[in-house]
Amino acid sequence: MKNYLTLLFTLLLVSWGAQAKDFNLSSPDGRLKATVKVAQTVSYTLTYDGQAILQPSQVSVKIADGATWGVNSKFKGGKVSQHKGIIKPFIYKKNTVSDNYRQLLLQFSGFNIVFRAYDEGLAYQFMSATQKEFNVEDELAEFNFAKDFGTWTPYVRDNKSLEDMLHNSFENCYDEINISQFDKKRLAFLPLVVKADNGVKLIIAESDVEDYPCMFLKSGNQSTGLKALFAPYPKEVKQGGHNQLEQFVTKAENYIAKSKGMRTFPWRIIGVSANDGDILNNDMVYRLASPSRLTDTSWIKPGKVAWEWWNHWGLYKVDFKAGINTQTYKYYIDFAARHGIEYVILDEGWAVNKKADLFQIIPEIDLPEIVRHANRQGVGIILWAGYKAFDRDMEKVCKYFSEMGVKGFKIDFMNRNDAECVAFHYRAAKLAAKYHLLCDFHGTFAPTGLNRTYPNVINFEGVNGQEQNKWATMKEYNQVQYDVTVPFARMFAGQMDYTQGAMINGTQQTYAPNNYRPMSQGTRCHQLAEYVVFFSPLNMLCDSPTHYDENPECTKFIARIPVVWDETVPLKSEIGEYVVVARRSGQKWYVGAITNWTPRDLTLDLGPLKAAGKTATIYEDGPNARIFAEDWAKREVQIPTDGKLQVHLAPGGGVAIEL
């Protein structure tokens, strides 16, 4: 009997060995090459310019009925094809996105796997080929790197237990660690940047996450590997948290997602770049998302927002008591109208606290009158709403406030990325679109392409933004260092509501957190340049109208700068050190450059902008910005014939150029 079993096992191995097959897939430019092996398991390796990037990394999906797609699965065959096309995006950092790739379709009994190689990275997704409903118990996504590469890792901040980590705000700075140093007790959220050899950077991300949890990363089975972890599907949810606006999972199912049958699963992305600047122009997340489901987008208007929460309703030199009241909001509306600012937000406080009920409005607020006043001035009103308050009667909320004349909602404190919470984002986007309402999702994960599928989803947080300066010391939050890292990491996923525009600015010596009179870290021109460097179609003016009126030149620049772009051209940049990017709207170019706490003299090559001979208006750090961060200067220069422009950035400084 023993000999029979040994023979049978040997025959099975031989059978699988006969079936085992390698498929080679390369990007259109030939620099990125993947080898996908189909055997008892499915795995892939990756090289870039001949450099080994990923060692065999297994992929599979475990179904609740006991089957595992990608393990001992019946293989039908593979097919390689090529696609060349373009996408015309709506509300994006450019007006044309190339869609050129080579594709490998692997067909199995009951499912398929698709691999795509682009010049900008590799992506793969599972596809169900069955009509029956099923639950997904788990998914294996490995990233086994060829060496102990460095990373910029965004750990989940709350790490007392797995439950704490699964319920988090997706905000943190980046730990610069090697893969082998990844804390085995912690999770990281996406995107995560990996530093390979010869300047090559890899970005792990995902796209088209629908009815499925988003991906966390944890330490892998190999010392230089990472692998995915997914939040289980909620079974019981309890209201609580910040002002009773959050929904905590108290019991979970033994699976991560439900499936209604034939469907595609999220794209797993390994972005790649030979130089840091090109990361700023990578389109992998956007192009892999499902196309727009809205037939009419004419009502969707990007723009800037006068915002009161960060500056604590900080009006002075007025003849009334500023605060959460009708007079204050009318003043913000009048300020916005004077400067052509498209929106004013009513952040937390306009609805009765701890009721999670958007129909209970505090007596100091006459909301219909505020909306009427805004509409007369040509300014739109956006309302802040907690997750529970918006979710409890979503259609009633959208219908009522849309009929009042409200233009959108800033929805906050989801703080989860399980399949049920991801589905909430899609439901909210779809229903808001029905009533012509914008959505700005806060307290949530980085975008995974929902902004393409529902372009009324105009912005996302999932960023450790400037609000941290209300309470965090520089030791707790090195904003300037974060600012020169986040464009290559979080912003890879898409637009981000960072909330810049501070008119009170601090150096390393003078910065201090303050809830009532907050300041930025870094110089005034660092703040101005962020309106170019950061992509944000619904862009906040975080400071007080009083401070903006005291700084008219800066305010005029912020007010006229576009929020959507026709072209993006990254200039020489280095992650964690400095960022330089040029963006075009119509015939006008804007250039933004920011540095960390190291002062720099940069030579900007504006040749790609065909700027030679043009007159540039430059907003730059003043001669004393190293001591007084508000010190800045404005000058006009003619760009030399060689297109080279010399600029100086103070510690934590920046430069903004308009030409």
Side-chain angles (χ1 to χ4, degrees):
M1 183 67 179
K2 182 178 179 180
N3 291 337
Y4 173 78
L5 291 175
T6 302
L7 177 62
L8 179 61
F9 183 70
T10 302
L11 289 173
L12 286 172
L13 287 179
V14 171
S15 174
W16 267 107
Q19 290 188 42
K21 189 169 184 179
D22 288 352
F23 293 88
N24 296 317
L25 186 69
S26 62
S27 59
D29 65 6
R31 301 178 74 181
L32 184 71
K33 295 182 179 180
T35 298
V36 182
K37 179 180 286 294
V38 180
Q40 288 175 293
T41 61
V42 178
S43 63
Y44 68 102
T45 60
L46 192 64
T47 65
Y48 187 74
D49 282 346
Q51 176 188 169
I53 299 296
L54 287 176
Q55 296 176 328
S57 299
Q58 189 177 337
V59 302
S60 64
V61 172
K62 188 175 183 181
I63 308 304
D65 65 5
T68 299
W69 295 350
V71 177
N72 295 332
S73 301
K74 184 178 179 181
F75 182 51
K76 294 182 175 181
K79 179 182 178 182
V80 176
S81 61
Q82 188 164 332
H83 176 84
K84 188 173 183 180
I86 60 169
I87 297 168
K88 302 297 285 186
F90 178 67
I91 305 181
Y92 195 50
K93 61 189 177 186
K94 59 181 71 170
N95 58 20
T96 302
V97 172
S98 67
D99 191 32
N100 304 330
Y101 58 84
R102 290 176 179 157
Q103 176 173 292
L104 169 64
L105 172 64
L106 301 175
Q107 295 179 301
F108 298 84
S109 178
F111 71 97
N112 301 323
I113 310 176
V114 173
F115 284 83
R116 286 185 186 173
Y118 297 82
D119 291 345
E120 297 171 301
L122 182 78
Y124 73 87
Q125 72 171 175
F126 281 81
M127 305 169 66
S128 169
T130 178
Q131 296 287 352
K132 67 178 183 178
E133 295 184 3
F134 58 91
N135 294 331
V136 178
E137 187 174 317
D138 202 2
E139 177 184 342
L140 177 62
E142 289 187 327
F143 304 92
N144 294 322
F145 293 95
K147 292 184 180 179
D148 190 17
F149 295 137
T151 71
W152 284 266
T153 293
Y155 281 125
V156 170
R157 186 183 293 159
D158 302 316
N159 63 337
K160 295 178 182 178
S161 67
L162 180 60
E163 289 74 20
D164 288 333
M165 287 188 281
L166 295 180
H167 190 102
N168 78 94
S169 63
F170 305 92
E171 298 169 293
N172 207 352
C173 295
Y174 296 90
D175 282 23
E176 293 187 47
I177 57 172
N178 285 359
I179 300 165
S180 65
Q181 297 171 311
F182 199 100
D183 191 331
K184 289 179 169 53
K185 297 180 180 179
R186 300 186 71 177
L187 300 179
F189 51 85
L190 301 181
L192 182 145
V193 181
V194 176
K195 179 183 179 181
D197 294 336
N198 304 315
V200 173
K201 302 296 187 304
L202 313 167
I203 308 94
I204 302 176
E206 59 188 341
S207 185
D208 215 29
V209 181
E210 183 173 5
D211 292 324
Y212 206 86
C214 293
M215 183 167 64
F216 290 104
L217 289 174
K218 65 176 184 176
S219 183
N221 298 325
Q222 299 184 14
S223 62
T224 59
L226 301 172
K227 66 179 181 179
L229 182 140
F230 300 92
Y233 196 91
K235 186 174 184 179
E236 294 182 9
V237 176
K238 180 181 179 181
Q239 180 181 355
H242 178 78
N243 289 335
Q244 295 295 304
L245 293 169
E246 299 179 62
Q247 300 189 67
F248 290 82
V249 178
T250 56
K251 288 186 180 180
E253 302 284 3
N254 59 359
Y255 53 85
I256 64 172
K258 300 177 181 179
S259 178
K260 296 179 180 178
M262 295 187 69
R263 60 159 294 179
T264 58
F265 288 80
W267 287 100
R268 309 297 172 211
I269 297 171
I270 305 98
V272 63
S273 175
N275 68 78
D276 292 0
D278 286 346
I279 300 173
L280 306 174
N281 212 18
N282 193 297
D283 301 307
M284 289 290 285
V285 174
Y286 188 91
R287 66 160 63 93
L288 288 166
S290 293
S292 176
R293 295 173 186 170
L294 304 183
T295 55
D296 175 20
T297 56
S298 62
W299 56 273
I300 302 174
K301 306 294 184 185
K304 286 178 282 291
V305 186
W307 185 39
E308 23 68 294
W309 182 86
W310 190 80
N311 62 78
H312 205 78
W313 301 266
L315 301 176
Y316 53 96
K317 299 180 181 179
V318 295
D319 59 0
F320 59 89
K321 186 176 180 179
I324 306 175
N325 57 51
T326 300
Q327 280 184 295
T328 296
Y329 283 113
K330 284 188 172 182
Y331 192 93
Y332 274 81
I333 291 164
D334 293 343
F335 162 78
R338 288 198 310 273
H339 293 283
I341 305 301
E342 290 85 353
Y343 298 100
V344 167
I345 193 166
L346 276 67
D347 214 289
E348 185 175 15
W350 64 272
V352 176
N353 196 23
K354 297 186 178 180
K355 298 295 184 181
D357 184 352
L358 298 178
F359 296 101
Q360 295 191 43
I361 301 173
I362 64 171
E364 294 84 358
I365 291 288
D366 184 345
L367 189 57
E369 173 56 24
I370 289 172
V371 175
R372 285 193 295 269
H373 183 73
N375 287 339
R376 287 193 294 266
Q377 298 274 52
V379 175
I381 293 295
I382 294 174
L383 298 177
W384 184 93
Y387 174 26
K388 177 64 177 177
F390 192 81
D391 191 34
R392 66 186 297 172
D393 198 347
M394 195 186 296
E395 178 131 24
K396 182 180 178 182
V397 165
C398 290
K399 184 175 187 296
Y400 176 81
F401 288 103
S402 174
E403 290 175 350
M404 184 185 290
V406 169
K407 302 302 182 184
F409 281 94
K410 175 183 174 181
I411 308 166
D412 206 349
F413 285 102
M414 283 69 77
N415 289 353
R416 289 164 35 205
N417 69 358
D418 54 69
E420 186 178 73
C421 193
V422 169
F424 162 80
H425 288 71
Y426 278 80
R427 287 191 293 110
K430 182 178 181 179
L431 198 55
K434 176 181 176 181
Y435 292 98
H436 287 192
L437 294 167
L438 304 177
C439 290
D440 178 9
F441 287 121
H442 268 238
T444 195
F445 47 87
T448 61
L450 178 59
N451 48 295
R452 181 183 177 194
T453 309
Y454 286 99
N456 61 311
V457 179
I458 202 166
N459 219 348
F460 300 81
E461 194 184 27
V463 61
N464 209 39
Q466 189 153 266
E467 67 180 27
Q468 306 295 325
N469 290 327
K470 288 171 72 72
W471 52 75
T473 66
M474 193 173 294
K475 184 178 180 180
E476 296 167 319
Y477 174 55
N478 187 335
Q479 177 194 2
V480 165
Q481 186 63 40
Y482 183 78
D483 289 351
V484 295
T485 307
V486 72
F488 307 93
R490 159 62 182 84
M491 203 169 73
F492 180 90
Q495 56 250 55
M496 58 185 198
D497 200 350
Y498 174 94
T499 64
Q500 61 268 40
M503 295 291 105
I504 303 175
N505 316 107
T507 65
Q508 286 176 292
Q509 293 74 32
T510 62
Y511 166 79
N514 192 309
N515 182 59
Y516 299 97
R517 197 172 185 269
M519 66 173 70
S520 72
Q521 297 177 29
T523 69
R524 172 70 56 78
C525 286
H526 187 103
Q527 289 287 298
L528 297 184
E530 286 180 341
Y531 284 94
V532 184
V533 173
F534 297 159
F535 174 53
S536 181
L538 192 68
N539 219 338
M540 301 282 179
L541 283 76
C542 69
D543 218 321
S544 162
T546 305
H547 295 157
Y548 287 124
D549 285 339
E550 291 172 345
N551 294 274
E553 286 284 350
C554 294
T555 303
K556 288 177 183 177
F557 174 80
I558 294 170
R560 68 174 174 264
I561 193 167
V563 297
V564 177
W565 305 96
D566 294 319
E567 187 177 357
T568 290
V569 177
L571 304 178
K572 187 177 180 182
S573 304
E574 184 177 347
I575 181 171
E577 296 292 332
Y578 64 97
V579 188
V580 189
V581 65
R583 302 191 195 272
R584 179 179 61 83
S585 177
Q587 299 302 311
K588 182 165 285 191
W589 283 96
Y590 291 82
V591 180
I594 57 176
T595 182
N596 57 11
W597 292 112
T598 302
R600 299 181 193 276
D601 292 299
L602 296 178
T603 300
L604 306 183
D605 183 1
L606 306 182
L609 316 185
K610 299 179 180 178
K614 292 185 178 180
T615 298
T617 302
I618 303 174
Y619 300 80
E620 59 189 347
D621 298 324
N624 296 299
R626 71 192 189 283
I627 301 171
F628 302 101
E630 289 92 354
D631 187 30
W632 67 279
K634 176 183 174 183
R635 63 186 171 105
E636 291 191 350
V637 301
Q638 189 176 51
I639 304 299
T641 54
D642 63 359
K644 303 291 179 63
L645 180 66
Q646 306 288 330
V647 295
H648 174 74
L649 283 71
V655 61
I657 303 169
E658 186 177 15
L659 54 87

